[in-house]
Every structure is written in C-alpha cells, then in structure tokens.
Amino acid sequence: MDITKLSINQKTTIHWSLPECIDGCVRHKIPSIGIRREKIKEIGVKESALLLRNSGLKVSSLCFAGNFPYLNSNQRRERLDDNRRAIEEAFLTKANVLVIVGGVLPNGDIKRALSLIERGIDELLPYAQDSNIKLGIEPLHPMFAASHSALVTMEETNNLLDHYDSPYLGIIIDAYHVWWDPKLYEQIERSKKRIFGFHVNDWITPIYDYYTSRGMMGDGFIKLKQIRKAVEKAGYEGPIEVEIFNSKLWDTSYDEVLELCKERFRKYV
Amino acid sequence: MDITKLSINQKTTIHWSLPECIDGCVRHKIPSIGIRREKIKEIGVKESALLLRNSGLKVSSLCFAGNFPYLNSNQRRERLDDNRRAIEEAFLTKANVLVIVGGVLPNGDIKRALSLIERGIDELLPYAQDSNIKLGIEPLHPMFAASHSALVTMEETNNLLDHYDSPYLGIIIDAYHVWWDPKLYEQIERSKKRIFGFHVNDWITPIYDYYTSRGMMGDGFIKLKQIRKAVEKAGYEGPIEVEIFNSKLWDTSYDEVLELCKERFRKYV
C-alpha cells in the first residue's frame, strides 16, 4: 500500500513522547499519526494540539475512551466524565475519530458488560455529536474478554451499530483482533460506510504475552492485503494505522522501526 | 458438582504416564479419565486398554485426532491413516468419544482450512460409524486460529454439525475455549442432544503463554456453574473433564492437584 495512507499509532513507538513521535513521523515522511491519551497527558492537551497543528500531520485517531461497565453510580459518573474529556481532547487535536474500547466487568459477566457498554454509548453519543466527533468502536480479540473488552466480535459490534444507526458511531477494524473470524468478510461488508478506522499489524506464534506479542506486518499469518481490499470495498478511504504492541520491537531503535513500518506497509498491506 | 461426574484429562497431570494417572484416579476415587494419544503411545494401545479395563475407570474421551488441512495428497493420506488409527485406539480403550481438533493451514488461510476440515470429516465419519465411535468436534479459542484449529466458534461448529446431522458427530464444549462468546448460551441450546463432552478449567489473566496458562476452576472469570447448567439443559449427562494446561500446576504434586480438582469441582462446577 502507498504510504500516503500510512499512520503510526503511538503504541508502536511506546517509549517516545508525543513530541518525539511527531518529530519521528515528520522526519520519516509519514503523513499521519494515531495519538494516545496517556501521551497527551504528559504534556497537556493544548501543547499537544499545537505541536500536532504545526507538524502538518493528520491525526488518524485518538486512543482510547470507553471502558463503560461500572459497579456503582460513582464509577459511572467518573467514566462518563473521563469519556467527555476524551471527546474534548479529540476535538482539540482534530482527531479523525475517537477510538472506543468497550470495557469489562471484574466478575467476567459478558452479557451484563455488553449491556453496560450499550448504556455507556447511549450517554456518550450526544456529547460526541455536539462536538462533531466520531466514535469508532473497536471490537477486541476474544483473548481480551476478561481484561479489556467484552465486545469481541465484529458481528456484535455491527448489531450495536445497527441499533443506533448514527453517522457519529462506527467501527474500527484492527486486523489483529478480527482476522480469525469465519465471518470476517461478511462483517466487513456489513460495516459498509461506517468503518471509521483500519489498524494493521500481524498475528505471530507463539504468543509469549497476550498484550505485547503482536507482530510486524509480514511476520505472521494475517492476510492484510485481502482484508485491506475488503475494507476499501466497504467504502473506507482513510488512513491505515500501524499499531503494534510488541515488547521486543519496543526495545529497538524507533527510527529503524518507522523505516520497517514503511517497508512492510508497502509490501504487505 | 457431584464428583461422580468428574473426569481427569491426562493433560492436567502431564508428567504422569498412563499407568500413573490411572493409579492416581483410582486412589483418589475419581471415576473417569480423559486419555491422550501421546500417553497411550508410550506403552502401546493394548497394554493401555488392559490397564484401563482392569482399573474400572470410565474413559470419558480420547484426545485427539483431526488436524485435517493438508498441503498435498501424501499429507492427506497420512492424516487419514493417523485418524483411522485414533478411531481404533478409541475403540480398544472404550473411549466415550474421540475428540476432534480441526487443524490449520501453515499460511493462515481460515476459509480454506475450514473447507479442508469439512472434507476431512467427510472421509473420517464412515470409519467412525463402522467402529461405532463418536467424533466430538472441539471448537478452540480464537487465540489458536493460527496454530491449532481454524474452527474457533461454536456457531461454525454447529453449522458443520447441521450439515451432517449424524449421531456419530457432535460437539465438545470446553469452557476455556468458548466462555467469551456472546452467543454462548444460544449455541449451547443449539447443540442440544449432540454435546459429546464438556471440559472445565478457568480463564486467568494475564496470560503468560497461550498454551500453558489455563487456570484451575474458581481461579478465573468463567461462570462454570451457569455453563454447566446450560449444557445439562441441552441434554448432556456424561462425565465432565477437568482439562488444565498450566505450566505452574504441572510442576506441583499431582496427588495434591487431584484433591484440588475434586474440591474445586464440587465448589465451582
């Protein structure tokens, strides 16, 4: 894939601050960046917004808000407040989309967590609409159903989107999370016109840690080109984010990582 | 759950030979055992069958055959030969069911692998029927889609079973593999009268290895009682296998492991 579509999610270069990552993307002629809230926090959202504007980089997404399931009304209010702050951050940084990760309940109750995720979206969507910020719901791999999100299939996510049918609510398709799904291509088609983001990386084996052993494109099993074409056919024309959680990559030189991302993006995406 | 239903899958006590595991189950008054082909191989199938018969233990299952996807006709023949040997082993050891794990293609092609799994079942089913051996297809967790089986949802498995509608073909429900699924309970109901096995264990976090960090019942997130009741409601009355792949547990005393299995089985299943 042509690198005019390339975006680097900050998670790929985890030890870089936002200024360092902006600088890296500019130096390596990468046109877009996917930013992280924890990195914005380090220097403040106004400073972040200023740096991003001056860099000329497009902001493909802000990661992430959501985490809706709550145990009591205090927690519910805290989550909503935090999610509203995320919308404001997305607005100020001119992010294409705010990525939403559903969240879990500590007792592992999937059905109840899914219902609380829906309730959370009910509450958040009006704020997103008022700020003209799109929310992109990212189904995670089922491996994360206990720890990160009970929402783990594209089908369940599309069911939810059907229910709202809002131009402010769409799906983020991350190859790592969905590649295994026998319904992958039918669900991509079903996501037509509401795909708000596309993330690439690879599935490598063996997994040595469920969170940090994600692979570089081309190193694993995912048919990225095939998925990318399906995503395009479903109407997505936006940036494609490289988002790699990989503890080995994190310990190498990020200038080399960015060059490798470009090379692999051209070849495998 | 009453321990009259308890079966210990040999994987739980991985360093024990079959004679040792049989002896352990008898000493600890565990009525059933789930046996493994690699353990049978160590002492031969006839000796295994004899020991099992003399022990009075029921054999809840033989694990596993399948691994259908092939790259060439040689490999196809080898797999079929091996699967036919597995049927013979199941027959000789009087196993309730032969567990089938679908398998993968080395290039990660899910659709093609699923189609080859179906073709493999086409070939194997007549042999199973002739030997009066039930085949139980076990959908694995999507985490194993690159390495162990492209068949990773109960829905896909049930679609396959519908296609055959044979009394010799059913499903093995392993809590670890399916607990995350938003369609879990509807798919258990759909499996009515064709559930050939039920495996228990737990999902613990963080995963430190995708293969060997499975948890003991009660240590994780899975609602085992709720799933067990749904499985019973769908007509399953057979033994319930404790199958735990856990490198930490594997390094402890297996007499203690068996007592712990009994305690947790009573309390959490």
Side-chain angles (χ1 to χ4, degrees):
Chain A
M1 186 70 192
D2 193 286
I3 69 157
T4 57
K5 295 271 185 184
L6 175 60
S7 175
I8 297 292
N9 186 291
Q10 280 197 267
K11 206 78 187 184
T12 308
T13 55
I14 197 168
H15 300 309
W16 265 354
S17 65
L18 182 59
E20 286 170 321
C21 193
I22 289 173
D23 185 52
C25 288
V26 170
R27 270 187 292 114
H28 290 275
K29 300 190 175 20
I30 290 163
S32 300
I33 183 170
I35 59 176
R36 313 280 313 185
R37 296 187 67 202
E38 63 276 18
K39 293 290 181 185
I40 287 181
K41 213 173 174 180
E42 291 171 2
I43 58 167
V45 63
K46 282 177 191 166
E47 175 70 9
S48 301
L50 189 69
L51 285 174
L52 287 163
R53 201 179 56 202
N54 290 340
S55 73
L57 292 174
K58 280 170 280 182
V59 179
S60 53
S61 76
L62 171 65
C63 285
F64 64 86
N67 196 16
F68 297 111
Y70 51 82
L71 294 174
N72 53 53
S73 56
N74 268 350
Q75 216 175 46
R76 179 182 188 168
R77 205 167 29 246
E78 280 167 21
R79 301 279 162 86
L80 181 59
D81 288 349
D82 185 59
N83 284 328
R84 290 180 62 185
R85 275 196 298 278
I87 286 177
E88 204 190 324
E89 290 161 18
F91 179 80
L92 291 170
T93 55
K94 298 192 196 307
N96 266 354
V97 60
L98 174 61
V99 176
I100 299 291
V101 172
V104 294
L105 279 171
N107 69 357
D109 189 331
I110 300 285
K111 283 279 171 200
R112 171 89 182 137
L114 288 173
S115 137
L116 291 174
I117 289 169
E118 193 160 338
R119 217 185 277 184
I121 292 169
D122 281 343
E123 286 193 315
L124 195 61
L125 191 55
Y127 294 106
Q129 197 164 337
D130 285 351
S131 304
N132 200 26
I133 292 297
K134 292 191 292 181
L135 305 179
I137 303 177
E138 182 170 347
L140 300 192
H141 192 282
M143 189 165 69
F144 298 103
S147 52
H148 294 70
S149 181
L151 193 59
V152 291
T153 63
M154 290 189 67
E155 185 172 26
E156 196 71 15
T157 309
N158 274 321
N159 291 346
L160 200 113
L161 297 182
D162 281 352
H163 170 71
Y164 289 98
D165 195 21
S166 160
Y168 290 93
L169 203 61
I171 189 169
I172 305 283
I173 298 174
D174 184 313
Y176 186 82
H177 293 309
V178 303
W179 78 276
W180 57 272
D181 193 336
K183 292 184 174 176
L184 173 60
Y185 293 100
E186 83 183 51
Q187 290 300 319
I188 290 177
E189 204 185 321
R190 197 180 150 202
S191 305
K192 206 161 198 153
K193 305 249 161 83
R194 61 188 185 199
I195 300 173
F196 287 177
F198 177 40
H199 297 179
V200 294
N201 34 51
D202 216 333
W203 183 276
I204 50 176
T205 57
I207 296 171
Y208 53 86
D209 174 277
Y210 74 144
Y211 193 63
T212 67
S213 62
R214 219 177 276 196
M216 172 61 73
M217 299 84 75
D219 283 347
F221 294 89
I222 306 181
K223 300 195 171 315
L224 288 169
K225 267 189 202 299
Q226 199 173 319
I227 299 176
R228 192 258 299 162
K229 283 176 190 162
V231 166
E232 282 177 349
K233 206 175 155 208
Y236 184 69
E237 295 176 334
I240 300 172
E241 268 184 41
V242 173
E243 186 183 35
I244 305 177
F245 294 58
N246 184 301
S247 54
K248 289 172 191 166
L249 205 77
W250 286 341
D251 288 337
T252 62
S253 146
Y254 292 170
D255 281 299
E256 283 169 30
V257 167
L258 293 188
E259 283 305 308
L260 188 61
C261 285
K262 284 162 69 177
E263 182 194 324
R264 297 297 183 86
F265 192 81
R266 281 198 195 95
K267 195 163 174 188
Y268 293 106
V269 177
Chain B
M1 187 68 193
D2 192 286
I3 68 154
T4 56
K5 295 271 185 185
L6 175 60
S7 175
I8 297 292
N9 185 292
Q10 281 197 267
K11 206 77 188 185
T12 308
T13 54
I14 196 168
H15 299 309
W16 265 354
S17 65
L18 182 60
E20 286 170 324
C21 192
I22 289 172
D23 184 53
C25 288
V26 170
R27 270 188 292 113
H28 291 273
K29 301 193 176 18
I30 290 163
S32 301
I33 184 170
I35 59 176
R36 314 279 314 185
R37 295 187 68 201
E38 63 275 19
K39 293 291 183 185
I40 287 181
K41 213 172 173 180
E42 292 170 3
I43 57 167
V45 63
K46 283 179 190 164
E47 175 71 9
S48 301
L50 189 70
L51 285 173
L52 287 162
R53 201 180 56 201
N54 290 341
S55 73
L57 292 173
K58 280 170 281 179
V59 179
S60 52
S61 76
L62 171 64
C63 287
F64 65 86
N67 194 18
F68 297 112
Y70 51 82
L71 294 173
N72 52 54
S73 57
N74 267 351
Q75 214 174 48
R76 179 182 188 168
R77 203 168 30 247
E78 279 167 23
R79 300 280 161 86
L80 180 60
D81 288 348
D82 185 58
N83 284 327
R84 290 180 61 185
R85 275 195 298 276
I87 287 177
E88 204 189 323
E89 289 162 19
F91 177 82
L92 292 171
T93 56
K94 297 192 197 304
N96 266 355
V97 58
L98 173 61
V99 176
I100 299 292
V101 172
V104 295
L105 279 172
N107 69 356
D109 189 331
I110 301 283
K111 283 279 170 199
R112 171 87 181 139
L114 288 174
S115 136
L116 291 174
I117 289 169
E118 192 161 338
R119 215 184 280 184
I121 293 169
D122 280 344
E123 287 194 316
L124 195 60
L125 190 54
Y127 294 107
Q129 196 164 336
D130 284 350
S131 302
N132 199 26
I133 292 297
K134 292 192 290 181
L135 305 179
I137 303 178
E138 182 170 348
L140 300 192
H141 192 283
M143 188 164 69
F144 297 104
S147 51
H148 294 71
S149 182
L151 194 59
V152 292
T153 64
M154 288 189 69
E155 186 172 24
E156 195 71 16
T157 309
N158 273 320
N159 290 346
L160 200 112
L161 297 182
D162 281 352
H163 169 73
Y164 289 98
D165 194 22
S166 159
Y168 289 94
L169 204 60
I171 189 169
I172 305 283
I173 298 174
D174 184 312
Y176 186 83
H177 293 309
V178 303
W179 78 277
W180 57 273
D181 193 336
K183 293 185 173 176
L184 173 60
Y185 294 99
E186 86 184 48
Q187 289 300 319
I188 290 176
E189 205 185 321
R190 195 178 152 204
S191 306
K192 205 160 199 154
K193 305 249 161 86
R194 61 188 183 196
I195 300 173
F196 287 178
F198 177 40
H199 297 179
V200 294
N201 35 51
D202 216 333
W203 183 274
I204 50 176
T205 58
I207 297 171
Y208 53 86
D209 175 277
Y210 74 143
Y211 193 63
T212 67
S213 62
R214 218 176 277 196
M216 172 61 73
M217 298 82 75
D219 284 347
F221 294 88
I222 306 180
K223 301 197 170 311
L224 288 169
K225 267 190 203 298
Q226 199 172 319
I227 299 176
R228 191 257 301 162
K229 281 175 191 164
V231 165
E232 282 177 349
K233 206 174 155 209
Y236 184 68
E237 296 177 333
I240 300 174
E241 269 184 40
V242 173
E243 187 184 35
I244 305 178
F245 293 59
N246 185 301
S247 53
K248 288 171 191 167
L249 204 78
W250 286 342
D251 288 338
T252 64
S253 146
Y254 292 169
D255 281 298
E256 282 168 31
V257 167
L258 292 189
E259 282 306 307
L260 189 62
C261 284
K262 283 162 68 176
E263 183 195 323
R264 297 297 184 87
F265 192 81
R266 281 198 196 94
K267 194 162 176 188
Y268 294 106
V269 178

